[in-house]
Every structure is written in structure tokens, then in C-alpha cells.
């Protein structure tokens, strides 16, 4: 067998495999089926691309995402690998040309959309092409439980029946156990081995901020990332448009993206983002599947996502180049209520329960006062090593105080309203605010009315959230989200049980940031020469533009940073740059080394 490390170096310019990549590659080269679970950006593609280079017939890659297909094919061609794709964006003669190349044995990797695969006798033509491996990307689309279910994925079962001798590798970023089982079963895989890895993304900082004053927090985040790219996920179409308008007024090049927009408008927004012409995309979750942009420096969740998988997949779009990136989740009960409201409308009781349980896990994550990464990784069945040092909880371990008296004030007010208060009215009562509802219900007569007016409404909300998290209170979703006092709450009220609260200072410090830019394999501390980097980026932009391709097809940011650091002056040195394989060093080496030499000669301060 060929030396796999040599292939990795020659074609992709990487020095080592990531965990599990090598094991997966050897497993499929041995003719076996595999299910590979790695997060977005974890390096799934190499698991079938390297075997494809070795096998003596083409590898078929099924992918539902047309944008991703084009990116991957361009990326591969940029590395000198013969790749092609077939999907609805090609016209008949373009398709025919691809198929002829395939038949002639000149295509190593063929990307196909599932619709195309099952069209007009395509499989019959494939029969003669000596396909040696089938990769099924985004394999979770086969599961009816997932929110990305695609009916045409169910037909993929045909592949194993038709080609029992060809190994199948199914890949996904969704590690949910039920989905994992569906994949193996529904594709008819033969005792597939399951590989899980790479869910740890140490270069992503994790933090959760309270939902109050989100715009203020966003401004602080944006100031930490001048001129850098990011994504803000919002829960409605209108919200994405409002946010984009706000950002524009703030001087940020931004656009909105949601499923209500036309296909060509969406494609344009994507293109502008990928090429770096727009910096911040305000999007619903419709955005991102299929976006392969390596230098997204921050991902903000304006609203709480409904599942941990969804959340992790979305933040996974940050920092795919391995450089530090920041992720921030805004957490509010109102958002949780919105989700629960939708979940309750679902007819199928089993599905409803699944979604409720997922929402519960998401809440636990957002409310955690222990290392957030530990929670995420355990969700994905990956081992952890205790505190990560790159989440808000690790950086600012909470300090506590005895909150029993505060809790008693709140609980007694609730009981006196006969448990007919929601959170914001409770705050009004504690603060002594005569809001219309307080006035109408006569709650200004409650004994604890105004007893908490030395504490801001903001801080009260933080405390009440903690009462809920600690099980003193429950939100009754079947009764207008009114707060109900639990047994634990009653014990606290009677003074039989103390309650510890996280100080508001802890939470405020987290809100102020800045999240320090540590961790990650290539910390930007090493980059001393931003000027040279900018110079190289300019060159890259020019070259990419000339070819009508996105910049990353030339080099990733990580490659340029390493180049600026190493300043290669011979082709041999150039080959040592991260992400530079034979093809790229031949294609671009001279031009980039010339740029470095020019820059040095210009006497720019070093
Ligand atoms: P996904 O799992 O989302 O399909 P990709 O396969 O696109 O992720 O990989 C994400 C990025 O990581 C790509 O830029 C890829 O080239 C890079 N990558 C993959 N494997 C390695 C490796 N062994 N060393 C360095 N970079 C790698
Ligand atoms: Zn941590």
C-alpha cells in the first residue's frame, strides 16, 4: 500500500493526520463500511479523498449540497486532483462531458446530488465505470428524526443492494445516537464501524451571555473583530433583516440570508460572504450547510437554538482554519418559550418528546456553571479532560453568595399571586413598579411589593433564572408560562434549605469580555508582521479574482499566516508552509516568494 502520509503531504500539504482519519482511511481501503462522525470542519473529506487517490477506479461522493459540491471540487482541483461534479446546475452537454471523462477513467472523485444519481439511467452508465468507493456525505439527511431529513436519501439503500462489493463510507456532523443507528440501517451497511472524533474544537471560545441588551454586547464583540467575518444566527426572517440593517448603519458590510429569499439572491449573498466582500451575515439556520469558509472569526446566536447538535454545527462554522474564533450564545427564557410553543404544536407525540428532551439539553448547556466544553463533548460521547480554559466558565469561575433571603422574597410574592405571575411581572412586584398588570391585579398589596428595589431589574432576572435552574421554581408551559413554586422552593421559603447564587458580577464580567484569543494550534501571537500578511492577502485576492474563484482556492488564511511567518525564499522552503502541496507550490510558489522578497526589499519595518 502506498504511503498515506506521503499522499497527505503531496496533495494537501499537511504533515499529520487528525485523530481517526488514518484509521478510517485504512478501514475503507480494506473494503469495509464505515460511519464517520466528525463535526463540521473536522476533516471528514480527507477520509474518502485519500482512498480515492489510491483506488484504481473512481470514488462516488453523494452530497445534497450543491454549493458544497462546487467548493470541494474546486478545492480538489486547486490541489491537482481530478474531480468533477454532476448536479442540476449543469446543462446537458456539460453533464455529458463529465460522464465521458468518467467513462474514460479520468475522474478520481465524482460528486453527485442524490436527485441526479437516480435520474434517467445514470446508474446503468455507472455500472461500467468501475466505481471503487461510495462516500455519502451529510448522511444524517437519511434520518426522519433529524430536521434535515431528505426523502431522496431513503433511496440510497439501493446502492448497497446494487453494489454489495463496493465499500460505503457515510459521513455526518450529527452525532445523535438515534440518527447514528438510522444511518447504518437505512443505508443497508454491512457491520459498519463507527468512528467518532474531532468534536473538540479547542480554537473556538465558548460563552453564553444573558439576553438583555444584546445589541450592546454585539457591538463589543464586533469591536474585537474589525474587518473580520462572522455569522449572526437569528430565529426569524424579519430578525435577520433588522439585524443586517442595524449592522449596516453601524458601518459593517453585512447582508441577511433566509429561506424566504430567492435562490439567486441567496447564492449572491453566499458568494459575497465567501469572497469576503461582505463581512457579517445575519441568517436563519437555512444558512451555513455547505458553506466552506475557513476564516469565519465569530458566530453569534442571537436566539437559543433548539438542539445542541444544531448549535454545535452552527458554531462549528467558525474557525475552520484552526485559528482562534469566538462564539457567543444569547440566552433568554423568552426564546426557550418560543421553541416550546412550536414543539407543543407537533402532532406526533414521540417526535414531540424527542424535541422536548433536546431542548432540555440545550437549556442545561446554556445555564451551566461548569466547563461548557465538557458538556458539549460528553453530549457527543467524546472523552474530555476536565476544564478547557477557553470557555466563559473556565475563564471566570463563578463566585457564589447565599441567596436564601432573595429567593424567599420572590417565592412569597409568587405564592401570594396564587402562582399567576410570569417572570417580568414578578420583577415588577419585587421592584415596586406599578405596571398595568400589577395595577389591574392589585398586586401592589402583596407583602413583598417593592422589597427588592435595591436590585436592578436586570439583576433580578438573572437571579430568577437561577431559582429556576436550581429547581425552586418551574415555568408552567401549559399555564401561560406562569411560575410555580416547587417542593424545593417551599423548603427554601421555610428556611430549611439554603440556596447559593452566582454573583451578578461574575455574569457581568463575562458580558464585558473580551474573550482572550488564546488556544488553537496556530495562535495569532506568532504573527508579528501584519503588513506582510496583508500584502500576501492582496496577491491572493488578485489571483483568485483573475480565475473567478474564491480566495481560499488559492490559499487558506492559515497558509498565508504560516507563509508570513516563515518567509520562504526557495521552493523547498515554500513546500514546508502549512497547506501547501506539490501542485500549489508549483502553481503559486514563485509569485508568492516574489511578493515576500519585494516586501522585504521595500524596507518595511520588520
Ligand atoms: P468537514 O468535516 O466539515 O467535511 P473538511 O473535510 O472540509 O471538514 O476539513 C476542514 C478543513 O480542515 C479543510 O480545510 C481541510 O483541508 C482541513 N484538514 C483536514 N484534514 C487535515 C489535516 N490532517 N491536517 C490539516 N488540515 C486538515
Ligand atoms: Zn471550559
Amino acid at each position: 500500500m502506498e504511503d498515506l502520509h506521503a499522499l497527505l503531504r503531496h496533495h494537501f500539504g499537511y504533515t499529520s493526520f487528525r485523530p481517526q482519519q488514518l484509521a478510517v482511511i485504512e478501514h475503507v481501503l480494506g473494503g469495509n463500511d464505515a460511519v464517520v462522525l466528525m463535526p463540521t470542519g473536522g476533516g471528514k473529506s480527507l477520509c474518502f479523498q485519500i482512498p480515492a487517490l489510491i483506488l484504481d477506479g473512481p470514488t462516488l461522493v453523494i452530497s445534497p449540497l450543491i454549493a458544497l459540491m462546487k467548493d470541494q471540487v474546486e478545492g480538489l482541483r486547486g490541489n491537482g486532483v481530478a474531480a468533477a461534479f454532476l448536479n442540476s446546475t449543469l446543462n446537458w452537454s456539460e453533464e455529458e462531458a463529465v460522464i465521458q471523462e468518467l467513462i474514460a477513467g479520468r475522474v478520481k472523485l465524482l460528486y453527485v446530488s442524490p436527485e441526479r444519481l437516480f435520474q434517467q439511467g445514470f446508474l446503468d452508465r455507472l455500472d461500467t465505470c468501475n466505481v471503487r468507493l461510495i462516500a455519502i456525505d451529510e448522511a444524517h439527511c437519511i434520518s426522519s428524526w433529524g430536521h434535515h431529513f431528505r426523502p431522496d436519501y431513503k433511496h440510497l439503500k439501493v446502492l448497497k443492494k446494487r453494489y454489495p462489493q463496493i465499500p460505503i463510507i457515510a459521513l455526518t456532523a450529527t452525532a445523535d445516537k438515534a440518527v447514528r443507528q438510522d444511518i447504518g440501517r437505512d443505508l443497508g451497511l454491512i457491520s459498519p464501524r463507527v468512528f467518532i472524533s474531532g468534536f473538540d474544537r479547542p480554537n473556538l471560545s465558548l460563552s453564553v451571555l444573558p439576553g438583555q441588551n444584546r445589541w450592546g454586547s454585539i457591538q463589543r464583540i464586533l469591536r474585537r473583530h474589525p474587518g473580520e467575518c462572522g455569522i449572526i444566527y437569528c430565529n426569524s426572517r424579519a430578525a435577520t433583516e433588522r439585524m443586517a440593517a442595524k449592522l449596516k448603519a453601524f458601518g459593517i458590510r453585512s447582508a441577511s440570508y433566509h429561506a424566504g429569499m430567492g435562490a439567486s439572491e441567496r447564492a449572491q449573498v453566499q458568494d459575497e460572504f465567501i469572497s469576503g466582500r461582505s463581512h457579517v451575515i445575519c441568517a436563519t439556520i437555512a444558512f451555513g450547510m455547505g458553506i466552506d469558509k475557513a476564516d469565519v472569526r465569530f458566530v453569534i446566536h442571537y436566539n437559543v437554538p433548539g438542539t445542541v447538535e444544531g448549535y454545535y454545527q452552527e458554531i462549528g462554522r467558525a474557525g475552520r482554519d484552526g485559528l482562534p474564533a469566538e462564539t457567543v450564545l444569547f440566552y433568554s427564557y423568552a426564546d426557550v418559550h418560543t421553541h416550546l410553543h412550536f414543539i407543543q404544536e407537533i402532532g406526533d407525540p414521540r417526535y414531540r418528546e424527542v424535541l422536548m428532551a433536546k431542548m432540555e439539553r440545550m437549556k442545561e448547556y446554556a445555564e451551566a456553571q461548569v466547563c461548557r466544553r465538557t458538556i458539549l463533548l460528553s453530549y457527543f460521547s467524546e472523552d474530555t479532560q476536565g476544564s478547557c480554559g477557553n470557555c466563559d466558565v473556565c475563564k471566570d469561575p463563578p463566585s457564589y453568595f447565599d441567596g436564601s433571603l432573595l429567593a424567599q422574597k420572590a417565592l412569597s410574592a409568587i405564592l401570594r399571586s396564587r402562582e399567576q405571575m410570569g417572570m417580568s411581572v414578578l420583577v415588577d412586584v419585587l421592584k415596586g413598579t406599578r405596571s398595568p398588570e400589577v395595577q389591574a391585579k392589585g398586586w401592589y398589596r402583596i407583602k413583598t411589593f417593592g422589597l427588592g428595589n435595591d436590585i436592578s431589574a436586570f439583576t433580578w432576572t438573572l437571579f430568577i433564572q437561577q431559582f429556576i435552574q436550581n429547581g425552586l421554581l418551574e415555568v408552567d408551559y401549559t399555564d401561560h408560562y406562569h411560575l410555580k413554586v416547587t417542593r424545593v422552593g417551599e423548603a427554601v421559603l421555610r428556611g430549611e434549605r439554603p440556596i447559593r447564587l452566582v454573583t451578578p458580577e461574575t455574569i457581568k464580567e463575562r458580558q464585558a469580555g473580551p474573550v482572550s484569543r488564546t488556544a488553537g494550534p496556530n495562535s495569532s501571537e506568532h504573527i508579528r508582521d501584519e503588513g506582510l500578511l496583508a500584502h500576501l492577502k492582496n496577491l491572493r485576492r488578485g489571483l483568485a479574482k483573475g480565475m473567478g474563484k474564491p480566495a481560499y482556492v488559492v490559499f487558506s488564511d492559515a497558509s498565508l499566516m504560516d507563509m508570513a511567518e516563515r518567509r520562504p525564499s526557495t521552493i523547498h522552503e515554500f513546500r514546508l508552509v502549512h497547506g501547501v502541496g506539490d501542485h500549489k507550490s508549483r502553481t503559486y510558489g514563485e509569485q508568492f516568494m516574489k511578493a515576500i522578497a519585494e516586501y522585504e526589499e521595500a524596507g518595511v519595518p520588520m
Side-chain angles (χ1 to χ4, degrees):
M1 194 183 288
E2 287 183 58
D3 182 351
L4 297 170
H5 282 93
L7 278 175
L8 182 69
R9 275 203 58 73
H10 284 304
H11 287 281
F12 300 98
Y14 301 137
T15 43
S16 57
F17 284 103
R18 290 188 181 154
Q20 300 282 21
Q21 280 179 330
L22 194 56
V24 175
I25 292 168
E26 286 173 342
H27 184 77
V28 300
L29 283 174
N32 308 299
D33 291 344
V35 176
V36 174
L37 307 164
M38 286 183 190
T40 308
K44 285 185 287 298
S45 320
L46 276 188
C47 297
F48 56 83
Q49 287 170 348
I50 296 241
L53 291 170
I54 294 175
L55 294 167
D56 61 1
T59 290
L60 196 64
V61 185
I62 320 284
S63 164
L65 305 163
I66 293 175
L68 181 78
M69 220 180 264
K70 186 159 158 267
D71 287 350
Q72 288 206 337
V73 167
E74 289 198 339
L76 284 166
R77 289 191 182 152
N79 281 324
V81 177
F85 66 88
L86 281 179
N87 61 38
S88 56
T89 64
L90 301 186
N91 63 32
W92 183 83
S93 64
E94 287 167 330
E95 277 195 0
E96 217 27 56
V98 169
I99 294 173
Q100 289 311 326
E101 285 288 292
L102 181 73
I103 291 170
R106 284 195 290 269
V107 175
K108 279 279 174 205
L109 284 125
L110 180 71
Y111 286 72
V112 193
S113 63
E115 307 84 74
R116 188 65 193 79
L117 186 72
F118 296 117
Q119 254 170 33
Q120 327 136 354
F122 177 69
L123 285 180
D124 294 333
R125 299 182 78 179
L126 206 61
D127 285 345
T128 61
C129 292
N130 188 30
V131 171
R132 298 295 311 276
L133 174 64
I134 298 173
I136 299 178
D137 212 355
E138 313 290 345
H140 56 276
C141 293
I142 202 166
S143 168
S144 347
W145 297 123
H147 55 293
H148 294 301
F149 175 57
R150 286 176 163 252
D152 35 332
Y153 257 60
K154 288 279 183 214
H155 301 309
L156 292 176
K157 195 166 200 158
V158 168
L159 290 171
K160 197 73 206 180
K161 292 212 183 93
R162 189 162 178 140
Y163 309 110
Q165 77 292 359
I166 302 179
I168 294 184
I169 170 173
L171 309 104
T172 176
T174 303
D176 183 81
K177 282 205 187 70
V179 174
R180 206 185 295 175
Q181 281 164 1
D182 284 359
I183 292 174
R185 194 194 52 228
D186 293 359
L187 287 174
L189 302 188
I190 303 166
S191 31
R193 199 168 134 193
V194 178
F195 296 85
I196 304 178
S197 90
F199 280 92
D200 192 7
R201 301 278 310 281
N203 61 318
L204 302 188
S205 74
L206 306 170
S207 56
V208 178
L209 294 178
Q212 292 96 331
N213 189 15
R214 295 178 216 206
W215 175 237
S217 298
I218 289 175
Q219 284 172 298
R220 276 192 290 274
I221 297 166
L222 291 170
R223 275 191 216 107
R224 296 202 277 276
H225 300 278
E228 294 181 336
C229 290
I231 305 172
I232 303 181
Y233 282 105
C234 307
N235 66 357
S236 75
R237 295 172 183 188
T240 65
E241 285 167 4
R242 277 198 303 272
M243 181 51 60
K246 231 167 168 172
L247 291 174
K248 277 186 193 143
F250 192 64
I252 305 260
R253 277 191 266 156
S254 65
S256 59
Y257 183 104
H258 54 72
M261 290 160 51
S264 68
E265 204 184 341
R266 275 188 289 163
Q268 190 189 338
V269 169
Q270 271 193 15
D271 274 359
E272 289 186 351
F273 184 58
I274 289 171
S275 68
R277 272 172 289 152
S278 69
H279 288 156
V280 180
I281 296 293
C282 307
T284 59
I285 54 166
F287 180 76
M289 280 273 264
I291 297 292
D292 187 8
K293 183 172 170 59
D295 61 351
V296 175
R297 294 272 73 85
F298 60 92
V299 168
I300 298 172
H301 279 87
Y302 197 86
N303 305 98
V304 183
T307 68
V308 173
E309 296 97 285
Y311 165 70
Y312 204 56
Q313 195 155 35
E314 283 141 28
I315 63 170
R317 296 183 180 123
R320 296 182 69 166
D321 51 12
L323 300 171
E326 175 172 7
T327 78
V328 176
L329 164 68
F330 289 112
Y331 182 58
S332 81
Y333 275 85
D335 289 347
V336 174
H337 296 167
T338 309
H339 279 291
L340 291 172
H341 185 76
F342 281 116
I343 294 172
Q344 255 143 23
E345 313 260 283
I346 292 170
D348 180 345
R350 203 151 80 88
Y351 191 39
R352 197 166 56 221
E353 256 167 52
V354 170
L355 291 186
M356 278 293 235
K358 289 186 178 206
M359 187 70 240
E360 201 48 46
R361 299 293 301 266
M362 190 65 222
K363 260 179 71 192
E364 284 166 14
Y365 170 81
E367 295 171 354
Q369 295 298 341
V370 297
C371 175
R372 292 193 207 277
R373 201 171 313 266
T374 304
I375 299 178
L376 285 179
L377 293 179
S378 63
Y379 185 84
F380 291 112
S381 333
E382 235 197 311
D383 290 343
T384 61
Q385 287 133 19
S387 297
C388 76
N390 198 21
C391 76
D392 50 0
V393 180
C394 286
K395 284 176 190 165
D396 261 319
S399 51
Y400 295 96
F401 70 100
D402 181 1
S404 304
L405 198 62
L406 293 175
Q408 286 160 1
K409 287 179 186 172
L411 296 171
S412 112
I414 294 169
L415 287 179
R416 276 159 207 275
S417 77
R418 297 179 197 282
E419 303 187 311
Q420 290 303 301
M421 281 181 187
M423 179 134 53
S424 64
V425 184
L426 174 59
V427 173
D428 288 341
V429 169
L430 291 165
K431 294 274 307 165
T433 306
R434 287 178 177 250
S435 61
E437 192 172 352
V438 170
Q439 207 63 17
K441 301 262 168 69
W443 285 338
Y444 49 83
R445 287 194 289 264
I446 287 177
K447 210 177 74 186
T448 50
F449 182 77
L451 273 193
N453 70 357
D454 52 331
I455 293 173
S456 75
F458 176 83
T459 306
W460 264 120
T461 310
L462 297 179
F463 289 154
I464 297 165
Q465 286 177 356
Q466 294 190 57
F467 299 153
I468 299 170
Q469 289 156 22
N470 285 288
L472 278 55
L473 287 176
E474 262 168 16
V475 179
D476 189 345
Y477 303 113
T478 61
D479 178 23
H480 307 91
Y481 303 107
H482 289 151
L483 298 168
K484 309 282 160 164
V485 178
T486 63
R487 289 230 172 107
V488 179
E490 285 165 9
V492 171
L493 195 57
R494 289 194 299 265
E496 290 163 12
R497 217 183 137 130
I499 153 94
R500 269 187 346 152
L501 294 178
V502 175
T503 61
E505 287 71 29
T506 303
I507 295 165
K508 280 181 192 149
E509 269 165 35
R510 282 183 200 153
Q511 198 163 22
V515 183
S516 77
R517 302 174 128 237
T518 50
N522 305 311
S523 171
S524 55
E525 280 165 26
H526 300 302
I527 313 298
R528 297 210 176 74
D529 205 332
E530 295 290 334
L532 175 54
L533 185 61
H535 190 58
L536 297 177
K537 281 189 177 171
N538 260 334
L539 173 59
R540 174 179 69 176
R541 194 175 310 128
L543 288 171
K545 212 169 167 192
M547 298 186 294
K549 298 212 160 139
Y552 70 84
V553 171
V554 178
F555 284 124
S556 67
D557 276 6
S559 292
L560 289 191
M561 286 182 176
D562 195 38
M563 206 182 291
E565 168 91 357
R566 290 173 185 267
R567 302 184 172 211
S569 60
T570 66
I571 205 77
H572 176 72
E573 285 169 7
F574 198 82
R575 278 291 280 105
L576 298 177
V577 172
H578 173 88
V580 176
D582 287 345
H583 185 76
K584 284 193 179 170
S585 63
R586 270 199 308 273
T587 317
Y588 306 115
E590 290 303 330
Q591 292 172 86
F592 278 83
M593 285 188 293
K594 193 162 150 252
I596 293 169
E598 277 166 8
Y599 183 82
E600 291 183 339
E601 271 163 34
V604 188
M606 306 274 287

